Amino acid sequence: MGTWDVGPFGNDTAADFGGALDDAAEGEREGVVRDALLCVIRTADYLEVPEAEEAVAAAALVAAQCPGGDPVDPVYAPEEPLPDLTALRGEAVQALDRVMTEPSELLELWAESDGGPWLASVRRLRDVLLVQEVAEGRHPSRAEGHSVR
């Protein structure tokens, strides 16, 4: 795991995801973010690290556009402008729920080390996404069969 920070873009996979978004045509960037989220949501079996790291990065991009969201890492996040991603809040919450639910390799790896700061980082993203959903009277459903740690 090429990881140097607990933030959503603090690993090689997320940095590569940011680069892939920059390489994508302007009209395809929302689809790239959506696909990263849906890939994880649809994974019922063992969730591998690369998919989980991409989903966390994608969720961070959505959260950054929500009130109270933190800006993403200016070095490793995409440099090209992104479209409005706030319609993907529900999917972002579901993807984070799945990453935080076993069987998840990323969850296991952070549990083997000092994963508290990473867990706090992911929970912060989820909280920002949920606050916006609830404020608009919508309650995102959890990914079926998964609970939040």
Side-chain angles (χ1 to χ4, degrees), residues 129-146:
L129 294 161
L130 277 177
V131 166
Q132 186 66 20
E133 288 279 290
V134 172
E136 294 179 0
R138 294 192 311 260
H139 301 279
S141 61
R142 289 186 177 171
E144 208 163 300
H146 305 291

Side-chain angles (χ1 to χ4, degrees), residues 1-148:
M1 179 166 67
T3 301
W4 56 85
D5 186 58
V6 298
F9 282 91
N11 59 76
D12 292 335
T13 305
D16 290 345
F17 178 69
L21 277 167
D22 283 338
D23 293 342
E26 185 175 347
E28 296 174 359
R29 293 183 190 133
E30 180 181 0
V32 172
V33 173
R34 179 184 292 109
D35 290 347
L37 298 171
L38 292 177
C39 174
V40 167
I41 292 168
R42 293 176 179 152
T43 302
D45 295 328
Y46 193 72
L47 179 60
E48 302 284 340
V49 167
E51 290 81 6
E53 288 177 333
E54 278 191 7
V56 171
L61 294 172
V62 176
Q65 295 183 356
C66 295
D70 294 326
V72 291
D73 185 313
V75 176
Y76 298 105
E79 295 177 8
E80 296 298 320
L82 293 172
D84 181 0
L85 300 172
T86 56
L88 299 175
R89 287 187 305 267
E91 289 88 346
V93 169
Q94 289 180 19
L96 292 176
D97 285 350
R98 177 60 189 93
V99 168
M100 302 285 287
T101 303
E102 294 180 15
S104 170
E105 185 179 22
L106 187 59
L107 181 64
E108 291 171 7
L109 290 173
W110 279 108
E112 292 171 3
S113 64
D114 182 18
W118 176 78
L119 287 170
S121 172
V122 174
R123 286 184 180 133
R124 164 88 174 115
L125 290 175
R126 189 176 186 284
D127 289 347
V128 166
L129 294 161
L130 277 177
V131 166
Q132 186 66 20
E133 288 279 290
V134 172
E136 294 179 0
R138 294 192 311 260
H139 301 279
S141 61
R142 289 186 177 171
E144 208 163 300
H146 305 291
S147 61
V148 181

